[in-house]
Amino acid sequence: MTILVVAEYENGAVAPATLNTVAAAAKIGGDVHVLVAGQNVGGVAESAAKIAGVAKVLVADNAAYAHVLPENVAPLIVELASGYSHVLAPATTNGKNILPRVAALLDVDQISEIISVESADTFKRPIYAGNAIATVQSSAAIKVITVRTTGFDAVAAEGGSAAVEAVAAAHDAGISAFVGEELAKSDRPELTAAKIVVSGGRGMGNGDNFKHLYSLADKLGAAVGASRAAVDAGFVPNDMQVGQTGKIVAPQLYIAVGISGAIQHLAGMKDSKVIVAINKDEEAPIFQVADYGLVADLFEAVPELEKLV
Amino acid sequence: MKVLVAVKRVVDYNVKVRVKADNSGVDLANVKMSMNPFCEIAVEEAVRLKEKGVATEIVVVSVGPATAQEQLRTALALGADRAILVEAADELNSLAVAKALKAVVDKEQPQLVILGKQAIDSDNNQTGQMLAALTGFAQGTFASKVEAAGDKLNVTREIDGGLQTVALNLPAIVTTDLRLNEPRYASLPNIMKAKKKPLETVTPDALGVSLASTTKTLKVEAPAARSAGIKVKSVAELVEKLKNEAKVI
């Protein structure tokens, strides 16, 4: 059994999500190969070769794979897939964009966002916004799977010494093109990888008030998230959204400030180790999942909290 | 251009679902069903494209049980011109749905297919991408903005770090993110008029589609429940607990 992991990368190195995905591959068992597809990704391949437990790194460095457009990258993965029992990718926006296209080209079902590996063909995944856990079994010759990164502890980024092999195949469907991107800039840790997350909801009142959360987060070394209500109200950009339709986080500590706790939001954070809720409505559903709840006005409680930590 | 929109009948997003005692699935008997929220956004986007003069006809399609006619009627009341129901079993995998949709695409020859990015029941986020693969069309997933630009479609996508814009050749597949638009409500006169709009029912067999699957669900369980927490009285007590009891800061 050999498993192909499609690497997620940023700033010239593999992203943390890749390390969680390799961990899931290791649970399945067998050799783990990592595919790095993109343009000028030599550095990424080098960092992938150092990941503990990776046997081989395949590099497809071609202008067609820049910005990992699925129309071009999916045929590449399909071409490589015949040698593999499993194709895995992290359930990031890239993984979710590409892998279903790969699965359909291979004529197999895809399994989305697994949270555990029961055996080489059986996996658990959440459905209904995390309100039920399904155990699914695949009879596909090549199992195509996205991995919920918070479900698996990352493998070590250093210590491996995999061979790096270039893949010559160039697929350019010529039906899509990258136009531009607008990335949110932040010095804080990445939301899905942060140990502590401070999130604000509609109770923040406006975007300006999020500065209270930013200064608390900076003191804690935390990332800042938001509920859909806060994003829809325009307080913060959408890439900060935690929930079924946003990002899934499972930090050591999640502090929900002015968030009622709708099903949609809970789907994105209820696997956090410790949940703290600060809300002035003592009936808010968030208190049903919070380990520590504080019924208070957030505009008094948050600055005080910042002072005390 | 002709626009095809796929909609799914799912349990209403406000319903707290319960797992069946025999772990065979989720109990959907006597539970409120609605159009999947992401599909509503897809219908709204198609209607807006028609209002802008970009789209000429909107065909709405659902692959599912006979009761999905209700959701198709809703889409017709929102502004779709006609509907197609591919009548099939309740729980289908994404690939089977994508294959049924491919057959409808072959027949209808739309220039644009709009789907929701995911259904809130199965949470798969696969069908649009799979349909794109089967048809060979370009895909603009998780769209928060769609603009027709000549023979291309500019789609702004929500990605992990922010936003990305891609230009797609037509015909293309777009899947909607929540921020694409705010769906309108159907007015009573439009609901009445929708009853007279054409709704065609076909079977997968008639389309020549096999709904066989490589995945089966062995069991469905309730997630591990979180143990009840405590309420603290002050910020000082909260900090003390976090430091000494939970040891997370």
Side-chain angles (χ1 to χ4, degrees):
Chain A
M1 233 170 24
T2 317
I3 300 164
L4 184 65
V5 170
V6 182
E8 176 87 13
Y9 55 89
E10 59 196 4
N11 307 324
V14 288
T18 304
L19 304 178
N20 305 92
T21 310
V22 169
K27 285 235 165 86
I28 295 169
D31 280 352
V32 178
H33 295 181
V34 172
L35 169 67
V36 178
Q39 191 177 18
N40 302 326
V41 286
V44 180
E46 276 173 40
S47 69
K50 290 186 196 139
I51 300 174
V54 171
K56 189 163 39 162
V57 175
L58 303 172
V59 196
D61 202 327
N62 193 293
Y65 305 136
H67 307 289
V68 289
L69 295 174
E71 296 81 359
N72 302 342
V73 173
L76 166 72
I77 297 172
V78 169
E79 186 187 315
L80 297 171
S82 59
Y84 294 93
S85 59
H86 297 71
V87 176
L88 266 57
T92 54
T93 45
N94 277 330
K96 292 177 189 175
N97 196 22
I98 296 167
L99 276 217
R101 194 166 179 121
V102 170
L105 292 172
L106 293 170
D107 196 23
V108 296
D109 287 315
Q110 189 228 284
I111 302 174
S112 292
E113 304 224 13
I114 60 162
I115 53 169
S116 85
V117 173
E118 303 297 297
S119 71
D121 66 358
T122 308
F123 310 91
K124 285 194 176 179
R125 59 176 302 264
I127 53 175
Y128 290 90
N131 287 305
I133 307 295
T135 304
V136 295
Q137 187 174 44
S138 170
S139 58
I142 303 171
K143 294 163 184 67
V144 182
I145 298 165
T146 61
V147 175
R148 179 168 286 190
T149 53
T150 58
F152 298 87
D153 292 329
V155 298
E158 301 283 335
S161 56
V164 177
E165 190 177 290
V167 178
H171 294 270
D172 190 351
I175 52 174
S176 59
F178 172 82
V179 176
E181 62 189 1
E182 203 180 305
L183 301 180
K185 288 192 180 65
S186 168
D187 297 331
R188 294 185 190 89
E190 209 257 313
L191 190 53
T192 54
K195 290 209 159 52
I196 302 179
V197 173
V198 180
S199 277
R202 201 196 300 274
M204 298 305 295
N206 60 49
D208 199 35
N209 285 335
F210 261 75
K211 66 174 189 275
H212 298 298
L213 298 190
Y214 294 137
S215 59
L216 172 62
D218 287 343
K219 199 140 178 215
L220 291 167
V224 178
S227 71
R228 188 183 157 200
V231 172
D232 281 352
F235 299 172
V236 291
N238 66 272
D239 54 298
M240 284 169 63
Q241 184 182 322
V242 171
Q244 185 184 20
T245 56
K247 288 181 181 161
I248 313 288
V249 300
Q252 294 287 308
L253 172 61
Y254 188 89
I255 305 179
V257 182
I259 292 175
S260 65
I263 295 173
Q264 199 286 134
H265 186 72
L266 298 182
M269 46 64 81
K270 69 186 166 111
D271 292 324
S272 305
K273 184 159 172 274
V274 175
I275 297 174
V276 169
I278 301 175
N279 204 305
K280 63 182 176 190
D281 173 13
E282 98 184 271
E283 303 296 319
I286 190 78
F287 286 119
Q288 291 163 20
V289 298
D291 298 281
Y292 302 106
L294 176 63
V295 181
D297 183 349
L298 69 95
F299 295 106
E300 287 163 22
V302 171
E304 197 184 338
L305 182 58
E306 190 192 333
K307 228 177 284 167
L308 290 175
V309 293
Chain B
M1 66 170 89
K2 188 196 249 188
V3 180
L4 185 73
V5 182
V7 301
K8 184 176 185 185
R9 174 185 172 88
V10 298
V11 66
D12 188 84
Y13 72 99
N14 278 314
V15 172
K16 180 119 172 65
V17 295
R18 274 212 305 271
V19 171
K20 284 186 200 165
D22 65 357
N23 292 119
S24 63
V26 159
D27 194 355
L28 294 179
N30 304 316
V31 168
K32 186 183 177 204
M33 304 295 278
S34 304
M35 192 192 300
N36 180 43
F38 292 98
C39 301
E40 278 185 46
I41 293 168
V43 173
E44 175 67 29
E45 194 63 20
V47 174
R48 290 187 189 191
L49 286 173
K50 194 175 176 191
E51 286 167 351
K52 278 189 221 157
V54 177
T56 48
E57 188 189 22
I58 303 169
V59 182
V60 60
V61 56
S62 190
V63 184
T67 45
Q69 287 192 20
E70 289 170 27
Q71 280 63 46
L72 289 172
R73 289 288 173 206
T74 305
L76 292 171
L78 291 169
D81 296 297
R82 60 190 171 87
I84 301 169
L85 173 64
V86 181
E87 203 171 330
D90 237 335
E91 306 229 347
L92 291 172
N93 285 318
S94 300
L95 185 61
V97 174
K99 284 179 177 174
L101 292 176
K102 159 78 162 64
V104 175
V105 167
D106 286 345
K107 208 168 121 206
E108 295 286 339
Q109 300 284 320
Q111 283 293 96
L112 174 63
V113 186
I114 313 181
L115 306 88
K117 80 163 177 181
Q118 76 187 62
I120 60 163
D121 51 359
S122 57
D123 281 337
N124 271 333
N125 196 332
Q126 298 173 0
T127 307
Q129 294 89 313
M130 288 180 156
L131 179 60
L134 298 176
T135 54
F137 295 172
Q139 68 191 54
T141 51
F142 327 141
S144 61
K145 196 169 159 197
V146 176
E147 273 177 327
D151 60 344
K152 305 227 183 219
L153 197 69
N154 283 337
V155 178
T156 302
R157 307 177 51 236
E158 298 198 3
I159 59 170
D160 285 331
L163 299 170
Q164 177 195 64
T165 305
V166 290
L168 309 178
N169 287 9
L170 293 171
I173 310 278
V174 166
T175 73
T176 63
D177 219 314
L178 279 172
R179 258 161 301 279
L180 181 58
N181 61 48
E182 187 138 345
R184 68 193 69 188
Y185 291 100
S187 66
L188 187 59
N190 284 346
I191 292 170
M192 299 311 287
K193 275 184 223 158
K195 291 185 179 170
K196 295 206 176 77
K197 289 186 179 176
L199 193 159
E200 179 194 351
T201 302
V202 293
T203 61
D205 285 347
L207 293 171
V209 177
S210 154
L211 302 178
S213 149
T214 56
T215 311
K216 69 173 177 199
T217 300
L218 301 180
K219 66 177 172 191
V220 175
E221 302 159 286
R226 287 190 78 96
S227 53
I230 56 161
K231 288 242 173 86
V232 293
K233 293 204 166 45
S234 68
V235 174
E237 190 188 346
L238 174 63
V239 172
E240 192 271 324
K241 296 263 191 216
L242 289 179
K243 277 190 176 148
N244 301 324
E245 199 175 281
K247 299 191 198 311
V248 283
I249 55 172

